[in-house]
Amino acid sequence: MENSKNENDSSQMRPGLWATVNERYLGSMITKTDFVPLARLKKPLSESRLTFVSTAGVQPKNSMPFDTVHPVGDYTFRRVPSDSKVEDLEIHQLKYPTVGAKKDLNVIFPIERLQELAEEKIIGELAPNFFSFIGYNMDALKLEQTLAEDIADAVEAEKPDAAMLAPA
Amino acid sequence: MMGHHFGVPHHKELQRRIILAMLDFLTAATRSGEIKMLPLKWATARREAIKIERKLGLKED
């Protein structure tokens, strides 16, 4: 990974934007120049276990709320049992418009749709838990070395065959 | 659209379609980092969602 220093980089919405953001939140804007190799499913989806990782800040009610006002962000995650009912979940996240999600959580955390697809055996099964964190993390190195590692370990422990990742 | 990556409220069919397109791409992708654009329009999705909300009695005419 490297910080993008090139103000003429055409991948930026406005020249110099990333440098401006990087000045304020050092290390937060990064450019990946390499990708991990494409990993293929080893068995049909109808026989596979799927998990879901989201930055929507969805969590079970009565679990510790995400710290949505910390200036550098919250580097913890929550397990969301994949058989949860929508009414047992809540959102703690200020950085995206939640009006739609409060009408129907599935627009950002499609737990009911995934439950239905598993019931219909389009997906073999869902992992016991889904994983949720908030996407406001201004320390990219800390994010990579702590939260990302913690989630990766937790996901791997449940042995999914595939993971669906979605931002908020 | 931010906060609505799987569609619009109460439009179960659209939400399902987005997820199924993603799951299809799981096997159809040919290289790491490949992006697939879906032929969906937000304006169309919102219009359909308004009709669904009216049918469900969640929105007045």
Side-chain angles (χ1 to χ4, degrees), chain A residues 144-165:
Chain A
E144 186 181 359
Q145 292 177 345
T146 60
L147 178 54
E149 293 282 345
D150 292 344
I151 291 180
D153 287 343
V155 166
E156 205 180 1
E158 298 196 354
K159 309 220 177 299
D161 299 298
M164 191 164 109
L165 278 58

Side-chain angles (χ1 to χ4, degrees), chain B residues 10 47-61:
Chain B
H10 310 302
R47 274 196 298 271
E48 290 171 359
I50 288 170
K51 286 183 190 166
I52 291 168
E53 286 184 352
R54 284 187 180 137
K55 220 186 239 185
L56 295 172
L58 298 171
K59 194 175 186 69
E60 290 178 5
D61 286 335

Side-chain angles (χ1 to χ4, degrees), chain B residues 14-38:
Chain B
L14 174 64
Q15 293 164 13
R16 191 184 159 91
R17 205 180 335 149
I18 291 169
I19 294 170
L20 288 173
M22 180 223 66
L23 293 174
D24 280 342
F25 198 51
L26 196 56
T27 47
T30 56
R31 56 184 170 81
S32 183
E34 187 175 350
I35 295 173
K36 180 178 175 69
M37 302 300 289
L38 298 182

Side-chain angles (χ1 to χ4, degrees), chain A:
Chain A
M1 282 187 297
E2 60 187 59
N3 291 338
S4 174
K5 297 185 180 108
N6 183 356
E7 295 202 353
N8 296 320
D9 184 348
S10 60
S11 61
Q12 299 182 52
M13 285 170 61
R14 168 171 67 78
L17 176 63
W18 290 4
T20 305
V21 175
N22 248 343
E23 279 169 16
R24 188 165 181 195
Y25 302 107
L26 192 61
S28 61
M29 298 303 296
I30 58 177
T31 301
K32 278 192 79 73
T33 55
D34 59 336
F35 291 94
V36 295
L38 182 64
R40 299 214 174 266
L41 273 184
K42 293 185 171 60
K43 49 187 168 179
L45 183 63
S46 59
E47 296 170 24
S48 297
R49 172 180 283 196
L50 180 78
T51 193
F52 177 50
V53 182
S54 164
T55 68
V58 172
Q59 60 187 117
K61 285 179 179 169
N62 302 319
S63 60
M64 175 69 80
F66 288 111
D67 185 348
T68 55
V69 296
H70 195 287
V72 189
D74 184 322
Y75 297 83
T76 64
F77 71 93
R78 303 291 178 273
R79 287 178 173 78
V80 179
S82 61
D83 60 356
S84 296
K85 294 191 188 331
V86 163
E87 53 266 30
D88 296 329
L89 303 176
E90 58 187 6
I91 300 173
H92 282 277
Q93 171 60 299
L94 299 175
K95 303 295 184 186
Y96 71 90
T98 55
V99 172
K102 287 186 174 148
K103 285 184 188 179
D104 180 358
L105 188 67
N106 293 282
V107 302
I108 196 67
F109 198 88
I111 188 165
E112 289 180 320
R113 300 292 86 79
L114 292 173
Q115 287 167 351
E116 288 157 7
L117 290 172
E119 212 169 291
E120 295 165 28
K121 282 298 175 191
I122 291 172
I123 300 168
E125 61 174 343
L126 300 178
N129 291 290
F130 294 157
F131 300 87
S132 177
F133 61 106
I134 61 173
Y136 182 75
N137 316 102
M138 291 293 102
D139 186 335
L141 196 58
K142 183 175 179 180
L143 172 67
E144 186 181 359
Q145 292 177 345
T146 60
L147 178 54
E149 293 282 345
D150 292 344
I151 291 180
D153 287 343
V155 166
E156 205 180 1
E158 298 196 354
K159 309 220 177 299
D161 299 298
M164 191 164 109
L165 278 58

